[in-house]
Amino acid sequence: MQTLTLLNPMDMHLHLREGAMLEGVLPYTAQIFSAAVVMPNLTTPITNTALAKDYQKQILSLCAPSSFKPLMTLFITESLNLQELQEAKKAGIKILKLYPKGATTGSEGGVKEILSDNTLQVFQYAQDLGFILSIHGESNGFSLEREYEFLPIFEHIAQNFPKLQTIIEHLSDARSLDMVEKYPNLYATLTLHHISMSLDDVLGKGLNPHHFCKPILKTKKDQQALLQAALNAHPKVSFGSDSAPHLESAKLTANGAAGIFAAPILLPALATLFEEHNALENLQTFISQRAIENYHLTDFPQKSITLSRKPFVIPERIMTPLGAVIPLWAGKTLNWSL
Ligand code: DOR
Ligand code: ZN
C-alpha cells in the first residue's frame, strides 16, 4: 500500500481550550504534531506569564511532554507592560497574540484601538525584546471585507516596526497575500478550511454552521489563491489549523459559535487535497519546514507520522467529557488515513 511519511508536523495556530474540553481535544494534536502554537483566548484570557505557565502545565499534564511541545502565547491587552513582557520572555514565551476587541470568540478583553499610543508602545517593546506578533486581523466592517479593511494596520506595523516579525493569522482574502509579499517582516498562517472551501460551503446549499468561522470563508477566487500558496509551500506562509472546538450545542444555537474543529482530520485531509493537485511532494515543506524557518524553531520533539493511502471515514461526532463536538467534514471519506 502507498504510504506517506511526514516529519515533525507543526500547527502554528491552535485552540485547545481548557479543562474537560482540553482533555477531549488535545490527543488529536499531541499525538500527531511535534509542536503547536496555543492560542490564549480562554474564558479568562492568558494575559500574563503566570497564567501562561499554569496553562502550559495543564496541557503537559495531559500528554507525553517528550513528544509534544505547546508553544505558549500571551493575549495582548492595552495594559501589557515592559516588566510583564520581560517575564514572558524569560519563561520562553515567544509569541504575542493581538485580538481586536470583539472580533471573534474570546476577544472581549482584546484591544479596542490597535494604533493607540499604548498599543504602539507594546509593539515597540515586542520588537525590542524579539517577540513575534500574531494578529487576528479583522475590522468590524462588512463581514466579507473585514480582513481587507484591516490591511492598512498591518502596513502601518510593517513600516514602523521593521524588525517586528508579524503574522497575519488565518489568511482568508487573496489581497492579504500581496501584503505579505510586500513587506519582509510580514508572514502568515493558512488553515485547511480557508484553502479548501468558500462562502458557498457555509450558505450555498442550506446553512452549515460547522463551516462557520472567523474570518468567514470568502470567494472561490480567494480560496484558489490561498490554495496555490499552500500547494507551492509559499516561503512566508506556515500551516496553522485554527482548529477551534465548540460543543455541538453551541454551534447550533441562535448565536452559532464561530470555529471549525479540524484537528482530527488535518493530515489525512491535507494529503488528500495536495494529492488531488499533484503537490504531495510539497506537503512536508508546508506542514513543517516553513514553521521551523519562519518561527526559528530549534528545539522540538522529533516525530515521524506515516499515512496510508486507504479510505478514512471521518467520525460523525467526537465525544469529550463535556459533550459532542462535530469535526470538520463529519461523515465524509478522505483518501488518506493515519
Ligand atoms: O472561528 C474562529 N474561532 N475564529 C477565531 O478567531 C477564534 C476561534 C475560536 O476561538 O473559537
Ligand atoms: Zn484562532
Side-chain angles (χ1 to χ4, degrees):
M1 190 185 312
Q2 197 189 345
T3 61
L4 169 71
T5 297
L6 295 168
L7 298 177
N8 305 326
M10 304 285 178
D11 185 345
M12 304 315 281
H13 185 132
L14 178 67
H15 298 271
L16 284 175
R17 314 304 190 204
E18 57 202 311
M21 181 64 97
L22 170 65
E23 243 174 82
V25 304
L26 178 63
Y28 294 100
T29 299
Q31 289 171 5
I32 306 297
F33 287 82
S34 282
V37 172
V38 181
M39 289 297 153
N41 62 331
L42 303 187
T43 315
T44 301
I46 305 299
T47 52
N48 62 49
T49 307
L51 288 169
K53 279 184 172 165
D54 274 357
Y55 188 27
Q56 185 179 37
K57 224 193 263 164
Q58 211 190 128
I59 295 167
L60 290 174
S61 74
L62 294 168
C63 64
S66 59
S67 79
F68 175 65
K69 182 167 187 174
L71 302 164
M72 307 311 290
T73 60
L74 217 58
F75 186 106
I76 296 181
T77 61
E78 261 143 301
S79 56
L80 185 56
N81 59 39
L82 179 58
Q83 195 193 336
E84 191 54 58
L85 285 167
Q86 285 165 335
E87 261 315 279
K89 182 139 201 227
K90 257 193 269 159
I93 297 171
K94 296 203 165 92
I95 303 174
L96 307 178
K97 176 72 190 271
L98 186 142
Y99 287 97
K101 188 178 174 61
T104 187
T105 309
S107 66
E108 273 323 304
V111 174
K112 213 166 171 181
E113 206 190 314
I114 315 288
L115 299 179
S116 71
D117 290 347
N118 279 354
T119 322
L120 292 174
Q121 183 62 257
V122 173
F123 296 162
Q124 185 64 51
Y125 293 147
Q127 173 172 272
D128 295 345
L129 292 168
F131 281 100
I132 293 175
L133 175 63
S134 150
I135 301 187
H136 181 115
E138 287 199 283
S139 73
N140 54 13
F142 177 62
S143 49
L144 290 176
E145 296 294 326
R146 283 179 191 173
E147 186 169 308
Y148 180 66
E149 287 176 2
F150 197 92
L151 288 179
I153 295 184
F154 280 112
E155 188 145 41
H156 183 98
I157 296 170
Q159 288 173 347
N160 289 276
F161 303 94
K163 295 227 160 69
L164 178 58
Q165 183 179 342
T166 302
I167 318 277
I168 308 184
E169 294 294 343
H170 37 56
L171 291 185
S172 69
D173 188 309
R175 294 168 291 187
S176 304
L177 263 180
D178 302 334
M179 190 62 80
V180 167
E181 278 159 11
K182 189 167 169 195
Y183 293 97
N185 55 333
L186 285 187
Y187 291 76
T189 57
L190 269 182
T191 72
L192 166 65
H193 44 275
H194 289 102
I195 63 176
S196 60
M197 296 194 291
S198 70
L199 189 57
D200 262 9
D201 294 284
V202 188
L203 43 69
K205 24 180 158 48
L207 196 58
N208 188 336
H210 303 296
H211 294 167
F212 174 55
C213 63
K214 303 261 180 94
I216 189 99
L217 300 176
K218 307 275 185 327
T219 68
K220 292 225 162 164
K221 235 172 100 185
D222 292 305
Q223 180 214 326
Q224 281 307 321
L226 301 174
L227 174 61
Q228 285 312 314
L231 296 175
N232 298 331
H234 188 297
K236 294 178 84 185
V237 177
S238 312
F239 173 68
S241 69
D242 201 11
S243 179
H246 290 276
L247 288 178
E248 180 175 20
S249 51
K251 292 290 286 177
L252 300 181
T253 52
N255 289 323
I260 292 179
F261 181 45
I265 72 161
L266 292 169
L267 295 190
L270 285 167
T272 303
L273 181 67
F274 274 57
E275 182 187 52
E276 275 164 11
H277 293 86
N278 295 315
L280 257 192
E281 72 279 8
N282 286 346
L283 184 52
Q284 175 66 46
T285 310
F286 178 60
I287 198 74
S288 179
Q289 195 53 34
R290 292 310 182 218
I292 294 171
E293 294 161 2
N294 293 337
Y295 294 75
H296 327 289
L297 303 176
T298 49
D299 171 30
F300 47 82
Q302 296 295 309
K303 251 188 186 145
S304 168
I305 302 292
T306 298
L307 294 112
S308 310
R309 202 179 184 297
K310 61 172 196 233
F312 164 49
V313 182
I314 301 172
E316 292 291 348
R317 46 179 41 75
I318 292 213
M319 287 313 297
T320 75
L322 278 188
V325 182
I326 309 295
L328 176 59
W329 300 335
K332 296 246 159 60
T333 302
L334 299 171
N335 295 340
W336 288 85
S337 56
L338 286 166

